Amino acid sequence: MKTLFVLEFKKLAKKRMNIIVIAVCLVLVGLLFALPVKQFIVLNTEGEQIMGTAAITMERDFENAYAGELTNERITSDIAAYQALFDDPANVSQDSDTKALSKTAYFKHFFPYIDYWKLINGNYVAASTYDSSFSAITNMNLEDGVDFYAARDKKVSTMLNYSYADWNFSDSEKAFWQNRVSSVKTPYEYGYHAGWKLLLSCMELFVVGILGICICVSGTFSGEYQSGAASVILSSRYGKSKLVKAKIFAAFVYSLSAFTLFILVGCGIQLAAFGVDGWNLPIQVLSSIAPYRMSLLSAALIAVATLYLILLGMVSFTLLLSAKMKSSVPVLVMIILVSILPMFLGISETSGIWNRILVLLPYRATQPVFSDEFIGYFGYPLGGMTFDIVTVRMIVYAVIMLVCIPFARRAWKKHQVA
């Protein structure tokens, strides 16, 4: 078995086409993850564009200016300081019909810290909406202070009890999500986290690597049919037993090895550029109502683990197709369609069932949802229990792997020897 595995692994690793595909995918992953770093722009307090490492350093300073625990007292003080800017006529815009800061004051006192203010202001507006004028904090009455976390709970409750056209939350789902939110540790901790924020937003780019690996293993069985070697192999002593196991095991080891290289390159580029600062901050620094109790590091690790399960599921599906089809071409066509088609399918405004299926498809499933105020609250009621989308994604692709592999082995064994 060991010898057969080594031979099958070397066959995959040394195949010229596979080397080219993996090399191209590796370059693409590197470029795609390096591009956001290269294009990272920060506006300084004068409104001037800063790029490159200087921009990253400046972003770190800006975000750390508000670092620390987000207690109600501290948030009240910060909002009061912001509102006090309007007391100086020099800070107020004369060209706006609404209460707004002048351009100079805006870039000096507000915009550099906009991620912080998006978090605070966003806590007081409806879910999945953006208050571009930041009217919630601008017009907030601070006479009795603010209760940031009570406002968070009210926002969640309003969202869960709203009447939607596509999906209304059942009582059990409401209880599930409210328990999730109430279990999140408060007060939140804030600080610099640009690297982790950008990394989580780029996870879907690894679909390039998953697709490339599936292309490489697509000929595991069908390639033997095309070359005519299947007749000899299946007639051999171990052709229907040890060899098929070796082929599948080699395909998995090869896939995991190649994908790990992609992960190291993609994640390494961004974390090397932005640093790992903020790894221990809660995912709630991205959205105050995020219903997941985890740090940014934990979110990234779970996202990567999900990617690995999607990879294994897709590789298993590819092996099943390869074992059933006599040519690699239809296998490649089907894999590309399954991987890419979800990119062009949109979220429905009327069918919650469709939406919950759509976000489980390969490309969509690679997108983290920890801080998403819409998809992040997708629940899957089953047997009186509710499962969150993150858990369901991992289960679905684990099941796909466990189902496809036995059928792939069976299809290979039943292939008719000419």
Side-chain angles (χ1 to χ4, degrees), residues 84-102:
L85 293 173
F86 294 92
D87 295 337
D88 185 348
N91 292 333
V92 180
S93 173
Q94 304 300 318
D95 301 322
S96 176
D97 295 331
T98 59
K99 192 176 182 180
L101 294 173
S102 65

Side-chain angles (χ1 to χ4, degrees), residues 96-114:
S96 176
D97 295 331
T98 59
K99 192 176 182 180
L101 294 173
S102 65
K103 183 178 180 180
T104 300
Y106 179 76
F107 283 112
K108 184 176 182 180
H109 301 292
F110 188 80
F111 188 80
Y113 319 104
I114 197 163

Side-chain angles (χ1 to χ4, degrees), residues 202-222:
C202 290
M203 285 292 181
E204 65 197 69
L205 298 176
F206 282 117
V207 75
V208 172
I210 294 175
L211 181 57
I213 290 170
C214 287
I215 291 173
C216 291
V217 302
S218 63
T220 299
F221 296 111
S222 59

